[in-house]
Amino acid sequence: MNFLAYFSWGLITSAVIHMSFGEMYTSLLNVKQAINVERKLVNYLGTYIDYELERLEDIKRFYAKVSDLHSKVYNGPATAMANPLVAFTLIKRLQSEWLNLVYSNEASENTQALRSGYEGEEARLPKLEDVQGAAKGLMRLQDVYALQVGSLAKGRFQRVTDGSPIDVYMPAVSIPLSGDDCFLVGKVAYEQEDYYHSVQWLEESVRLFRGTGGEWSPENEGTLEDALDHLAFSHFKTGNVSSALSLSQELLHRDPMNGRVLQNVEKYEKLLVDSPPLLISGSGLRRPNSTYLRTRNTYERLCQTQGSQPKQYENPRLSCDYFTNGSPGLLLQPIRREVLSLQPYVVLYHNFVTDTEAKDIKLSAQPGLRRSVVASGEKQETADYRISKSAWLKGSAHTIVGQLDQRISLLTGLNVHPPYGEYLQVVNYGIGGHYEPHFDHATSASSPLFKLKTGNRAATFMIYLSSVEAGGSTAFIYANFSIPVVENAAIFWWNLHRNGQGDGDTLHAGCPVLVGDKWVANKWIHEHGQEFQRRCSLNPEE
């Protein structure tokens, strides 16, 4: 029985309709679902190997039989060939058995079955944009948490402090990266003309490829020659001509007939003669600009250190208590409240949801998860500075949402039901998932938020539906503090002053998730409907 017949039967008995996992890298849920896809591919490959081994055993048996005849019969007395049975089997074997063996379709049928299995899962496989997005996620983590590429390649998360490597996080499970893995990350940066990252990742790729003697593996996309080629040009673009020349000479030694590389060597040699190098290796590397360049240092410091957290003894108004908001519905079950900041006013409510409620919310959101968008003028679009997937849950369709709305209303005293409160947005972050510094409230009169005709977003109520191992804090940039992920807790803050103007101190960001699966739920509460819940002040500046 060959693999093709086995696979065809398997398709009939296990046919299912597969959903497409577009932009897989933007949601860790989709990444986890990809494990099941690869598990199927592993099973197909295992079956293919079994049938190929069976086929090779047949070939080895034929080889042993014929070799035995040549050593024992045909090399014996000449009278052996006078035996008509011996002569017949020789003629028959040469006329048909060798033909059947050499032109057997079994090998191609096994290969075709393996390919069919792969193609059957193709709709659920990552696309090129997923690989590129995952690579960008690694570079983002490298930057925000000041991680060393060499350590990442070893499966560790380390930064250099005072000249010594310090573990940022020690993962329970980790795997090292290969030379080809590092080459792909470097190539993604290279194709974006981001030579700051391409140099670091390609240098690591070259080191790892050299460690294996430059041997090529069939699953690899790149080779040592490819890595040398890309790294040499990356160094050239950063002004490091000496390194570009050295690497190109090594590449030319491995590929002497490469005319393009020979021209590059001559070009670099001429440049070094005409203009002696002023740069030493690596000194020309400069991080590329970003959309949040003005606040980048503060943002990254807060993500790394959790900021300058306010201390209770420094301000007695920052306190912890059991809070009821004067509501009869909370008298028997008050919420543990922690006041984190007075300007802006930010409060953390511990154990706002139970484990079961958090699980129900995540399960309800999974079918509707789509790439998260940001406001762009009057439209909404995806952006690299927000990497996640989100879904909107209506209270009418999900009982748990109605229960949460009621609980939020009791705690805040606000009218949170639509249209005065938006539907519950559930977010799952992806590889290096983050949301760069932004305001929740609209800062432009053309914002799509105003299409609801209920005013601006007056307040934010954000629920942490999961824990993470490292990273993922919520950083308030101008207020100079950040809040780590606290499972099942919720954060509340005012986006607007009482006079309706936006509070600039609420500029905040979702730090990249270093390790873990981060889920949050957002409830945005609008101005309209709160006229008697949050009254205007007599002071127009307040």
Side-chain angles (χ1 to χ4, degrees):
M1 178 180 178
N2 63 34
F3 183 26
L4 186 60
Y6 164 85
F7 178 75
S8 299
W9 180 84
L11 271 185
I12 295 171
T13 58
S14 62
V16 294
I17 299 175
H18 297 309
M19 60 179 291
S20 175
F21 294 156
E23 298 180 315
M24 180 185 295
Y25 71 98
T26 64
S27 168
L28 203 63
L29 172 67
N30 289 160
V31 177
K32 290 180 176 179
Q33 290 169 331
I35 295 173
N36 295 326
V37 178
E38 186 169 52
R39 188 172 290 121
K40 288 186 178 182
L41 294 179
V42 169
N43 290 337
Y44 293 145
L45 185 60
T47 305
Y48 168 79
I49 291 171
D50 289 342
Y51 279 103
E52 280 293 279
L53 289 174
E54 184 180 316
R55 183 180 67 85
L56 291 174
E57 282 299 318
D58 289 339
I59 294 174
K60 287 167 65 176
R61 177 187 48 75
F62 179 81
Y63 169 81
K65 180 183 75 172
V66 175
S67 297
D68 194 52
L69 286 171
H70 278 266
S71 62
K72 294 180 180 179
V73 178
Y74 302 151
N75 284 339
T79 54
M81 293 310 301
N83 186 329
L85 297 177
V86 173
F88 169 77
T89 57
L90 172 65
I91 293 171
K92 184 253 186 182
R93 191 169 57 252
L94 287 172
Q95 192 279 326
S96 64
E97 292 181 14
W98 276 97
L99 180 70
N100 293 336
L101 183 75
V102 172
Y103 290 98
S104 169
N105 291 327
E106 194 172 2
S108 60
E109 287 175 355
N110 290 345
T111 302
Q112 182 56 45
L114 177 64
R115 289 174 180 169
S116 296
Y118 174 85
E119 290 165 1
E121 302 298 328
E122 204 159 11
R124 305 177 68 190
L125 295 176
K127 308 296 187 290
L128 177 60
E129 67 169 328
D130 292 307
V131 181
Q132 294 170 338
K136 292 176 184 177
L138 291 181
M139 290 185 274
R140 184 180 310 116
L141 295 174
Q142 170 196 347
D143 289 345
V144 173
Y145 296 104
L147 303 177
Q148 298 297 297
V149 173
S151 297
L152 288 172
K154 296 174 184 176
R156 304 184 67 177
F157 300 92
Q158 295 181 319
R159 75 165 67 97
V160 173
T161 302
D162 297 328
S164 301
I166 302 296
D167 284 309
V168 175
Y169 176 74
M170 289 285 289
V173 177
S174 188
I175 59 171
L177 301 179
S178 67
D180 190 58
D181 294 333
C182 294
F183 170 72
L184 194 143
V185 178
K187 185 181 176 185
V188 169
Y190 177 93
E191 290 173 346
Q192 291 187 307
E193 300 183 0
D194 172 10
Y195 303 112
Y196 169 83
H197 289 104
S198 70
V199 164
Q200 297 178 71
W201 285 93
L202 290 171
E203 281 184 341
E204 191 62 27
S205 173
V206 167
R207 185 187 71 80
L208 292 169
F209 273 133
R210 284 172 176 161
T212 62
E215 293 183 2
W216 179 79
S217 298
E219 70 271 19
N220 285 353
E221 178 178 326
T223 63
L224 174 58
E225 289 79 8
D226 293 327
L228 288 169
D229 197 8
H230 285 74
L231 179 57
F233 189 74
S234 296
H235 273 305
F236 168 69
K237 293 296 289 186
T238 62
N240 193 344
V241 182
S242 296
S243 292
L245 174 60
S246 175
L247 292 162
S248 296
Q249 288 172 333
E250 180 181 350
L251 177 56
L252 190 62
H253 177 74
R254 301 183 66 88
D255 186 8
M257 303 305 293
N258 194 320
R260 177 179 57 80
V261 177
L262 177 60
Q263 289 180 346
N264 286 344
V265 168
E266 295 171 349
K267 172 184 175 181
Y268 299 151
E269 288 175 337
K270 186 175 186 302
L271 283 173
L272 289 175
V273 171
D274 295 343
S275 304
L278 298 177
L279 298 173
I280 61 173
S281 178
S283 65
L285 297 181
R286 296 290 183 271
R287 275 185 66 179
N289 293 336
S290 68
T291 55
Y292 64 104
L293 185 62
R294 186 165 57 91
T295 59
R296 182 165 70 183
N297 290 341
T298 302
Y299 164 60
E300 293 180 355
R301 175 176 55 80
L302 290 172
C303 289
Q304 293 173 21
T305 66
Q306 296 186 28
S308 303
Q309 298 287 11
K311 300 295 190 295
Q312 192 275 339
Y313 61 81
E314 295 175 353
N315 187 340
R317 294 177 63 192
L318 298 180
S319 59
C320 299
D321 61 8
Y322 282 94
F323 184 66
T324 65
N325 197 29
S327 170
L330 294 174
L331 285 176
L332 297 179
Q333 194 173 8
I335 296 288
R336 290 170 55 202
R337 179 180 68 165
E338 182 179 353
V339 181
L340 301 176
S341 171
L342 297 176
Q343 182 51 43
Y345 181 75
V346 182
V347 179
L348 180 70
Y349 296 110
H350 292 268
N351 298 319
F352 177 75
V353 294
T354 65
D355 290 338
T356 301
E357 288 173 332
K359 182 180 179 180
D360 288 346
I361 295 169
K362 289 185 285 187
L363 287 174
S364 298
Q366 286 181 17
L369 287 174
R370 300 292 183 271
R371 175 75 184 272
S372 297
V373 296
V374 298
S376 178
E378 296 182 1
K379 300 180 180 179
Q380 292 183 318
E381 59 185 27
T382 61
D384 284 342
Y385 61 83
R386 188 183 189 189
I387 300 299
S388 62
K389 283 189 175 181
S390 55
W392 298 87
L393 301 184
K394 298 180 180 180
S396 58
H398 304 279
T399 305
I400 182 64
V401 176
Q403 295 171 351
L404 289 184
D405 281 350
Q406 182 179 13
R407 200 175 306 163
I408 294 170
S409 184
L410 290 175
L411 269 178
T412 63
L414 299 175
N415 184 350
V416 304
H417 299 286
Y420 307 117
E422 296 178 35
Y423 296 127
L424 189 71
Q425 184 196 56
V426 182
V427 183
N428 181 221
Y429 288 80
I431 300 171
H434 70 143
Y435 195 171
E436 289 178 6
H438 64 283
F439 294 106
D440 280 359
H441 62 274
T443 56
S444 168
S446 62
S447 170
L449 283 179
F450 293 115
K451 291 181 179 179
L452 296 174
K453 301 189 183 302
T454 53
N456 211 338
R457 286 173 172 169
T460 295
F461 200 97
M462 185 176 75
I463 309 166
Y464 287 129
L465 299 174
S466 67
S467 62
V468 297
E469 283 72 25
S473 297
T474 302
F476 285 83
I477 310 303
Y478 295 142
N480 194 35
F481 73 97
S482 61
I483 308 167
V485 176
V486 181
E487 187 173 16
N488 296 343
I491 309 172
F492 172 81
W493 69 87
W494 294 106
N495 295 308
L496 305 180
H497 294 295
R498 288 183 179 273
N499 61 10
Q501 298 299 310
D503 186 347
D505 287 336
T506 62
L507 183 74
H508 64 285
C511 295
V513 180
L514 185 58
V515 180
D517 186 8
K518 181 181 176 182
W519 288 80
V520 301
N522 296 308
K523 185 73 176 182
W524 286 297
I525 306 161
H526 284 237
E527 293 176 278
H528 296 186
Q530 321 306 333
E531 292 81 359
F532 298 101
Q533 280 74 19
R534 194 195 192 205
R535 298 173 184 271
C536 295
S537 170
L538 294 176
N539 181 359
E541 300 301 320
E542 185 180 342

